[in-house]
């Protein structure tokens, strides 16, 4: 357990904001699950994605909660076009938000996550991120630059215990738990089943004759956070790709914990998202990334060599 003062101030502010938003939305999501009233809305921005009244409420709530801590910023949420909040016409900070990730499952009381990332346009990189888990004991995954400029990652449990994340998995592929967002039958699951060399490599027996490799399901940024914490060994996305609000918070947290995120050719993904203008921010919100996220470089390379591109 780390000294609480080790968590940088901006990350602490994000933790407070995200925890408050989760505490406010959790009873509503539980009520939705128990009544079956899921508040589905028409999704005009992403027609194949589930959108609920709860997503839209969280979108607005984050704007209110962020203002006391960040007087002026570009607010770039999954649910709306980017907008400037505050008096500065061209703020230095951009806040990327996915208000309610996996909302189709959140309204069933199963899984629900929320992502916030603060990006410095001057430094051309993230400076803080928080990923919140609405229903589980491992509640907050954080990353931020400390006073020395070093990126550090943390986990906060629901009862307030704080842990430094700096020991991601050192597993090899034959013993790894690798996750994938495989829920959509045609878009996600079918492409996974076509990755026969990868699945065969994952199923390879260890020296003692046991097959320890496993494939699991995970979601958005929290999947990369699970790698950062060492709960899983790797996450892959080779089908549709993740949007910036799904990938970037977990990317930064895994980077700060000492893990690696590459493209499918094995090139590390940059933390520079090129958010230099409102036009670039809008364009970034429309891009999707395929990636390999792993606890160590050797595992990332093993996965990369086994995948069909």
């Amino acid at each position: 357990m780390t000294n609480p003062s080790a968590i940088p101030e901006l990350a602490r502010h994000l933790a407070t904001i995200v925890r408050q938003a989760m505490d406010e939305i959790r009873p509503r999501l539980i009520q939705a699950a128990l009544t079956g009233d899921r508040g589905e809305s028409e999704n005009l921005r992403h027609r194949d994605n589930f959108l609920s009244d709860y997503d839209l409420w969280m979108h607005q709530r984050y704007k209110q909660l962020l203002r006391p801590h960040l007087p002026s910023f570009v607010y770039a949420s999954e649910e709306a076009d980017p907008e400037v909040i505050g008096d500065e016409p061209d703020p230095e900070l951009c806040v990327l938000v996915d208000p309610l990730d996996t909302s189709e499952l959140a309204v069933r009381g199963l899984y629900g996550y929320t992502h916030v990332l603060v990006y410095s346009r001057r430094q051309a990189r993230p400076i803080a991120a928080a990923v919140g888990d609405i229903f589980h004991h491992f509640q907050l995954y954080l990353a931020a630059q400390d006073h020395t400029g070093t990126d550090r990652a943390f986990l906060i449990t629901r009862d307030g215990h704080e842990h430094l994340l700096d020991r991601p998995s050192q597993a090899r592929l034959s013993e790894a738990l690798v996750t994938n967002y495989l829920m959509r039958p045609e878009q996600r699951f079918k492409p996974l089943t076509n990755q026969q060399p990868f699945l065969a490599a994952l199923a390879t027996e260890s020296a003692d004759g046991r097959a320890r490799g496993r494939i699991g399901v995970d979601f958005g940024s929290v999947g990369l956070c699970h790698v950062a914490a060492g709960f899983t060994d790797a996450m892959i996305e080779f089908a549709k790709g993740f949007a910036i609000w799904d990938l970037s918070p977990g990317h930064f947290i895994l980077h700060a914990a000492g893990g690696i995120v590459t493209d499918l050719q094995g090139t590390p993904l940059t933390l520079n998202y090129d958010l230099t203008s409102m036009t670039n921010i809008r364009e970034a919100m429309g891009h999707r990334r395929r990636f390999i996220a792993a606890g160590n470089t050797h595992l990332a390379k093993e996965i990369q060599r086994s995948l069909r591109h």
Side-chain angles (χ1 to χ4, degrees), residues 17 55 75 80 82 93 97 100 114 131 140-141 143 161 173 204 215 222 231 255-256 258 260 268 281 299:
I17 290 166
D55 297 82
Y75 186 67
L93 298 179
V97 176
L100 185 58
T114 183
V131 174
L140 283 164
Y141 301 86
H161 290 152
L173 185 55
T204 300
I215 190 78
V222 77
F231 301 155
H255 157 82
I260 185 169
I281 293 170
L299 177 57

Side-chain angles (χ1 to χ4, degrees), residues 15-300:
T16 299
I17 290 166
V18 171
R19 185 182 288 111
Q20 181 173 344
M22 291 195 298
D23 286 346
E24 292 177 4
I25 199 66
R26 189 182 300 108
R28 304 181 187 199
L29 294 173
I30 291 171
Q31 181 69 11
L34 293 174
T35 63
D37 182 6
R38 293 165 182 158
E40 185 170 4
S41 300
E42 184 180 4
N43 194 335
L44 299 177
R45 293 173 59 80
H46 312 283
R47 293 184 180 275
D48 61 341
N49 288 352
F50 179 86
L51 178 69
S52 72
D53 296 339
Y54 308 101
D55 297 82
L56 300 173
W57 183 88
M58 288 280 274
H59 164 79
Q60 295 295 337
R61 187 63 175 131
Y62 270 129
K63 284 196 284 187
Q64 298 168 347
L65 294 172
L66 286 162
R67 281 298 300 273
H69 302 285
L70 302 173
S72 192
F73 56 94
V74 178
Y75 186 67
S77 166
E78 179 185 5
E79 312 308 342
D81 290 333
E83 61 178 304
V84 173
I85 306 294
D87 298 330
E88 295 179 22
D90 191 27
E92 198 272 322
L93 298 179
C94 179
V95 180
L96 296 173
V97 176
D98 186 349
L100 185 58
D101 189 41
T102 323
S103 56
E104 192 170 4
L105 299 178
V107 297
R108 291 167 166 82
L110 296 173
Y111 302 95
Y113 309 99
T114 183
H115 314 156
V116 181
L117 179 136
V118 180
Y119 182 92
S120 167
R121 298 168 69 194
R122 176 177 54 81
Q123 295 185 49
R125 71 189 310 279
I127 56 173
V131 174
D133 187 328
I134 295 170
F135 295 118
H136 298 118
H137 183 71
F138 295 117
Q139 189 175 66
L140 283 164
Y141 301 86
L142 305 172
Q145 283 182 324
D146 66 15
H147 68 281
T148 70
T150 302
D151 296 321
R152 304 181 70 188
F154 305 88
L155 168 65
I156 304 179
T157 60
R158 186 162 182 170
D159 55 6
H161 290 152
E162 301 174 355
H163 303 267
L164 179 68
L165 300 181
D166 62 354
R167 290 180 291 179
S169 167
Q170 296 302 307
R172 298 300 182 253
L173 185 55
S174 62
E175 59 187 13
L177 169 57
V178 181
T179 63
N180 177 248
Y181 181 56
L182 48 81
M183 288 187 60
R184 291 179 177 266
E186 282 292 327
Q187 287 185 328
R188 308 279 191 177
F189 184 72
K190 189 174 180 180
L192 174 63
T193 63
N194 289 334
Q195 290 287 346
Q196 293 300 317
F198 162 71
L199 294 174
L202 188 62
T204 300
E205 292 182 352
S206 301
D208 62 2
R210 297 180 62 184
R212 292 187 170 84
R214 298 290 186 269
I215 190 78
V217 63
D218 219 328
F219 316 94
S221 266
V222 77
L224 288 84
C225 294
H226 291 155
V227 180
F231 301 155
T232 61
D233 303 299
M235 185 179 192
I236 54 174
E237 170 53 34
F238 49 81
K240 185 179 179 182
F242 276 18
I244 189 171
W245 56 78
D246 283 322
L247 176 58
S248 58
H251 177 196
F252 182 48
I253 292 168
L254 179 54
H255 157 82
I260 185 169
V261 184
T262 75
D263 63 19
L264 298 187
Q265 287 69 48
T267 302
L269 295 188
T270 178
L271 292 172
N272 181 353
Y273 306 139
D274 191 23
L275 306 181
T276 54
S277 67
M278 290 296 285
T279 297
N280 285 8
I281 293 170
R282 292 188 187 96
E283 290 178 353
M285 299 295 279
H287 293 167
R288 288 185 171 270
R289 282 277 198 176
R290 301 174 181 180
F291 65 87
I292 299 165
N296 65 85
T297 300
H298 185 88
L299 177 57

Side-chain angles (χ1 to χ4, degrees), residues 293-307:
N296 65 85
T297 300
H298 185 88
L299 177 57
K301 289 180 178 178
E302 282 190 281
I303 294 171
Q304 188 270 329
R305 289 193 295 264
S306 70
L307 287 177

